Amino acid sequence: MKYYPLLRSHSAIETVILANGEYPSHPLPVGLLQQASFVVCCDGAADDYICRGNTPSIIIGDGDSISPENRERFKEILITSADQETNDQTKAVAYCLQQQRNHLLILGATGKREDHTLGNISLLMDYMHLGADVQMATDYGVFTPVQGDACFECVPGEQISLINFGATGIKGEGLVYPLSDFSNWWQGTLNQTTGDSFTIQAKGEYLIFRTY
Amino acid sequence: MKYYPLLRSHSAIETVILANGEYPSHPLPVGLLQQASFVVCCDGAADDYICRGNTPSIIIGDGDSISPENRERFKEILITSADQETNDQTKAVAYCLQQQRNHLLILGATGKREDHTLGNISLLMDYMHLGADVQMATDYGVFTPVQGDACFECVPGEQISLINFGATGIKGEGLVYPLSDFSNWWQGTLNQTTGDSFTIQAKGEYLIFRTY
């Protein structure tokens, strides 16, 4: 059974994708961004990252939201693509996978337009299909796309949510409220852990959100 | 075919539910909150509403996030319910429907914890089933739950997203990109209008997000 440890300030995550939502403010994503050795900025997110004194490893996107100054100054690390079928976050993930960077943390993907938030979160399922070992950390918690049975490290009494993407036979252990084959997103939200780990049994795919 | 006009500053919306997410800051939801004659605050949202000099019509929820001071001061309009099967937003909608208030605008439902955001947005589909004529306005746009064919007023060139909740045979007119029976949330995001209205043909249910 696959085991998902908690994301911690000393988790060694080399590759971070900084998406173009709200810039991280919680100490955990902020710290993980600082210690990453390879940071891919999605288009306009580069402006926020650069103005804080950082230099992106790569800037990727359709080039419509980065400032003209940074576009010129960082043109040698700027990969533009006008492909309208995918968004900048997906372009960044595809680039990382091409570079054999499969272990990815996405930051800054939520907190602005809610349709972007929904899109970016749901795309985690697609990235899992592409072979990425990916998580998304927000200012409130971490989203992990999962397939099949899995065990998750957690803090006792922490709130967790399960968003079902068509999985069946869903059962949980180590959670306060029972799970079932939820058909609407909200049904699996606001559960709570009882110990320092919980397990999910399921056929199919789902998303786990562990709050900090 | 049902017609959905744009939400405007002079839209006459009597009943507003103020959820416990981020307090509205965009002028449109702020203005609609000010002119509403009946404001139901979800638990802790009452604190934010009251500290801005307002008085809620009703405060509803499980009573765990409102301040002890306001809990005491407003005890005559406070309806507490510890039902763990529904969240405060849903309790507020159920209350309004009991009071024959079917035309509802939900504000402040997004912008904090992303699992709350996902839950609150998806619950719009359930409220539609209960007979509510409901929309959710955020700082970025308006979510409308829809069943079957519909026509939407819009600003030409505005971005819109369609989130599919199992609808089939989806077709659009008045949009830049073609629609299909999307299976993942992101697939219908970031479309664009071409004129001052667009129409959707579909069997089943979906959610439309019109940006401001």
PDB file of all heavy atoms in Angstrom, chain A residues 148 162 164-170 180-182 202-206:
ATOM      1  N   GLY A 148      -6.272   4.025  -5.854  1.00  0.00           N
ATOM      2  CA  GLY A 148      -6.319   2.779  -5.080  1.00  0.00           C
ATOM      3  C   GLY A 148      -6.062   2.980  -3.600  1.00  0.00           C
ATOM      4  O   GLY A 148      -6.197   4.078  -3.060  1.00  0.00           O
ATOM      5  N   LEU A 162     -11.762  14.230   1.448  1.00  0.00           N
ATOM      6  CA  LEU A 162     -11.584  13.334   0.294  1.00  0.00           C
ATOM      7  C   LEU A 162     -12.513  13.826  -0.806  1.00  0.00           C
ATOM      8  O   LEU A 162     -13.718  13.955  -0.592  1.00  0.00           O
ATOM      9  CB  LEU A 162     -11.916  11.893   0.686  1.00  0.00           C
ATOM     10  CG  LEU A 162     -11.728  10.822  -0.396  1.00  0.00           C
ATOM     11  CD1 LEU A 162     -11.412   9.465   0.234  1.00  0.00           C
ATOM     12  CD2 LEU A 162     -12.948  10.682  -1.314  1.00  0.00           C
ATOM     13  N   ASN A 164     -13.852  12.784  -4.348  1.00  0.00           N
ATOM     14  CA  ASN A 164     -13.907  11.565  -5.146  1.00  0.00           C
ATOM     15  C   ASN A 164     -13.895  11.863  -6.645  1.00  0.00           C
ATOM     16  O   ASN A 164     -14.638  12.713  -7.116  1.00  0.00           O
ATOM     17  CB  ASN A 164     -15.177  10.783  -4.780  1.00  0.00           C
ATOM     18  CG  ASN A 164     -15.176   9.387  -5.371  1.00  0.00           C
ATOM     19  OD1 ASN A 164     -14.136   8.903  -5.837  1.00  0.00           O
ATOM     20  ND2 ASN A 164     -16.318   8.732  -5.334  1.00  0.00           N
ATOM     21  N   PHE A 165     -13.034  11.163  -7.358  1.00  0.00           N
ATOM     22  CA  PHE A 165     -12.997  11.264  -8.820  1.00  0.00           C
ATOM     23  C   PHE A 165     -13.407   9.916  -9.417  1.00  0.00           C
ATOM     24  O   PHE A 165     -12.688   9.341 -10.226  1.00  0.00           O
ATOM     25  CB  PHE A 165     -11.606  11.695  -9.305  1.00  0.00           C
ATOM     26  CG  PHE A 165     -11.361  13.166  -9.166  1.00  0.00           C
ATOM     27  CD1 PHE A 165     -11.078  13.728  -7.936  1.00  0.00           C
ATOM     28  CD2 PHE A 165     -11.432  14.017 -10.274  1.00  0.00           C
ATOM     29  CE1 PHE A 165     -10.868  15.098  -7.799  1.00  0.00           C
ATOM     30  CE2 PHE A 165     -11.215  15.383 -10.153  1.00  0.00           C
ATOM     31  CZ  PHE A 165     -10.941  15.929  -8.919  1.00  0.00           C
ATOM     32  N   GLY A 166     -14.559   9.421  -8.973  1.00  0.00           N
ATOM     33  CA  GLY A 166     -15.116   8.205  -9.568  1.00  0.00           C
ATOM     34  C   GLY A 166     -14.707   6.912  -8.894  1.00  0.00           C
ATOM     35  O   GLY A 166     -15.021   5.830  -9.401  1.00  0.00           O
ATOM     36  N   ALA A 167     -14.022   6.978  -7.763  1.00  0.00           N
ATOM     37  CA  ALA A 167     -13.633   5.752  -7.074  1.00  0.00           C
ATOM     38  C   ALA A 167     -14.863   5.071  -6.466  1.00  0.00           C
ATOM     39  O   ALA A 167     -15.858   5.727  -6.145  1.00  0.00           O
ATOM     40  CB  ALA A 167     -12.603   6.052  -5.988  1.00  0.00           C
ATOM     41  N   THR A 168     -14.785   3.741  -6.325  1.00  0.00           N
ATOM     42  CA  THR A 168     -15.878   2.983  -5.722  1.00  0.00           C
ATOM     43  C   THR A 168     -15.331   2.120  -4.580  1.00  0.00           C
ATOM     44  O   THR A 168     -14.127   1.906  -4.474  1.00  0.00           O
ATOM     45  CB  THR A 168     -16.558   2.071  -6.758  1.00  0.00           C
ATOM     46  OG1 THR A 168     -15.551   1.223  -7.338  1.00  0.00           O
ATOM     47  CG2 THR A 168     -17.224   2.878  -7.859  1.00  0.00           C
ATOM     48  N   GLY A 169     -16.240   1.657  -3.750  1.00  0.00           N
ATOM     49  CA  GLY A 169     -15.845   0.807  -2.629  1.00  0.00           C
ATOM     50  C   GLY A 169     -14.985   1.540  -1.620  1.00  0.00           C
ATOM     51  O   GLY A 169     -14.127   0.943  -0.969  1.00  0.00           O
ATOM     52  N   ILE A 170     -15.237   2.835  -1.452  1.00  0.00           N
ATOM     53  CA  ILE A 170     -14.373   3.656  -0.598  1.00  0.00           C
ATOM     54  C   ILE A 170     -14.627   3.359   0.885  1.00  0.00           C
ATOM     55  O   ILE A 170     -15.771   3.418   1.356  1.00  0.00           O
ATOM     56  CB  ILE A 170     -14.616   5.171  -0.857  1.00  0.00           C
ATOM     57  CG1 ILE A 170     -14.409   5.492  -2.344  1.00  0.00           C
ATOM     58  CG2 ILE A 170     -13.683   6.018   0.002  1.00  0.00           C
ATOM     59  CD1 ILE A 170     -14.694   6.930  -2.710  1.00  0.00           C
ATOM     60  N   SER A 180     -18.006   6.911   2.031  1.00  0.00           N
ATOM     61  CA  SER A 180     -18.765   6.099   1.081  1.00  0.00           C
ATOM     62  C   SER A 180     -18.429   6.593  -0.320  1.00  0.00           C
ATOM     63  O   SER A 180     -17.548   7.440  -0.478  1.00  0.00           O
ATOM     64  CB  SER A 180     -20.268   6.169   1.380  1.00  0.00           C
ATOM     65  OG  SER A 180     -20.719   7.494   1.250  1.00  0.00           O
ATOM     66  N   ASP A 181     -19.137   6.066  -1.321  1.00  0.00           N
ATOM     67  CA  ASP A 181     -18.795   6.423  -2.706  1.00  0.00           C
ATOM     68  C   ASP A 181     -19.427   7.769  -3.045  1.00  0.00           C
ATOM     69  O   ASP A 181     -20.404   7.852  -3.781  1.00  0.00           O
ATOM     70  CB  ASP A 181     -19.259   5.315  -3.657  1.00  0.00           C
ATOM     71  CG  ASP A 181     -18.511   4.017  -3.404  1.00  0.00           C
ATOM     72  OD1 ASP A 181     -17.595   4.016  -2.548  1.00  0.00           O
ATOM     73  OD2 ASP A 181     -18.834   3.018  -4.050  1.00  0.00           O
ATOM     74  N   PHE A 182     -18.821   8.803  -2.515  1.00  0.00           N
ATOM     75  CA  PHE A 182     -19.359  10.154  -2.642  1.00  0.00           C
ATOM     76  C   PHE A 182     -19.546  10.538  -4.107  1.00  0.00           C
ATOM     77  O   PHE A 182     -18.683  10.300  -4.942  1.00  0.00           O
ATOM     78  CB  PHE A 182     -18.408  11.166  -1.998  1.00  0.00           C
ATOM     79  CG  PHE A 182     -18.081  10.861  -0.572  1.00  0.00           C
ATOM     80  CD1 PHE A 182     -16.768  10.717  -0.161  1.00  0.00           C
ATOM     81  CD2 PHE A 182     -19.085  10.719   0.372  1.00  0.00           C
ATOM     82  CE1 PHE A 182     -16.453  10.441   1.155  1.00  0.00           C
ATOM     83  CE2 PHE A 182     -18.779  10.454   1.697  1.00  0.00           C
ATOM     84  CZ  PHE A 182     -17.461  10.309   2.091  1.00  0.00           C
ATOM     85  N   ALA A 202      -9.966   1.933  -1.752  1.00  0.00           N
ATOM     86  CA  ALA A 202     -10.836   2.389  -2.832  1.00  0.00           C
ATOM     87  C   ALA A 202     -10.372   1.796  -4.153  1.00  0.00           C
ATOM     88  O   ALA A 202      -9.176   1.539  -4.347  1.00  0.00           O
ATOM     89  CB  ALA A 202     -10.815   3.911  -2.915  1.00  0.00           C
ATOM     90  N   LYS A 203     -11.323   1.578  -5.050  1.00  0.00           N
ATOM     91  CA  LYS A 203     -10.977   1.233  -6.431  1.00  0.00           C
ATOM     92  C   LYS A 203     -11.181   2.481  -7.263  1.00  0.00           C
ATOM     93  O   LYS A 203     -12.321   2.970  -7.384  1.00  0.00           O
ATOM     94  CB  LYS A 203     -11.880   0.117  -6.944  1.00  0.00           C
ATOM     95  CG  LYS A 203     -11.509  -1.233  -6.367  1.00  0.00           C
ATOM     96  CD  LYS A 203     -12.172  -2.378  -7.082  1.00  0.00           C
ATOM     97  CE  LYS A 203     -11.655  -3.676  -6.468  1.00  0.00           C
ATOM     98  NZ  LYS A 203     -12.341  -4.858  -6.932  1.00  0.00           N
ATOM     99  N   GLY A 204     -10.092   2.985  -7.813  1.00  0.00           N
ATOM    100  CA  GLY A 204     -10.224   4.183  -8.617  1.00  0.00           C
ATOM    101  C   GLY A 204      -9.470   5.347  -7.994  1.00  0.00           C
ATOM    102  O   GLY A 204      -8.607   5.157  -7.132  1.00  0.00           O
ATOM    103  N   GLU A 205      -9.845   6.541  -8.408  1.00  0.00           N
ATOM    104  CA  GLU A 205      -9.045   7.723  -8.091  1.00  0.00           C
ATOM    105  C   GLU A 205      -9.773   8.717  -7.184  1.00  0.00           C
ATOM    106  O   GLU A 205     -10.989   8.878  -7.281  1.00  0.00           O
ATOM    107  CB  GLU A 205      -8.659   8.433  -9.394  1.00  0.00           C
ATOM    108  CG  GLU A 205      -7.815   7.547 -10.275  1.00  0.00           C
ATOM    109  CD  GLU A 205      -7.553   8.182 -11.622  1.00  0.00           C
ATOM    110  OE1 GLU A 205      -8.095   9.267 -11.907  1.00  0.00           O
ATOM    111  OE2 GLU A 205      -6.798   7.572 -12.400  1.00  0.00           O
ATOM    112  N   TYR A 206      -8.994   9.384  -6.387  1.00  0.00           N
ATOM    113  CA  TYR A 206      -9.537  10.393  -5.485  1.00  0.00           C
ATOM    114  C   TYR A 206      -8.421  11.353  -5.090  1.00  0.00           C
ATOM    115  O   TYR A 206      -7.229  11.120  -5.378  1.00  0.00           O
ATOM    116  CB  TYR A 206     -10.175   9.743  -4.251  1.00  0.00           C
ATOM    117  CG  TYR A 206      -9.257   8.802  -3.502  1.00  0.00           C
ATOM    118  CD1 TYR A 206      -8.540   9.217  -2.387  1.00  0.00           C
ATOM    119  CD2 TYR A 206      -9.084   7.482  -3.927  1.00  0.00           C
ATOM    120  CE1 TYR A 206      -7.678   8.362  -1.720  1.00  0.00           C
ATOM    121  CE2 TYR A 206      -8.225   6.609  -3.266  1.00  0.00           C
ATOM    122  CZ  TYR A 206      -7.531   7.053  -2.159  1.00  0.00           C
ATOM    123  OH  TYR A 206      -6.679   6.214  -1.511  1.00  0.00           O
TER     124      TYR A 206
END
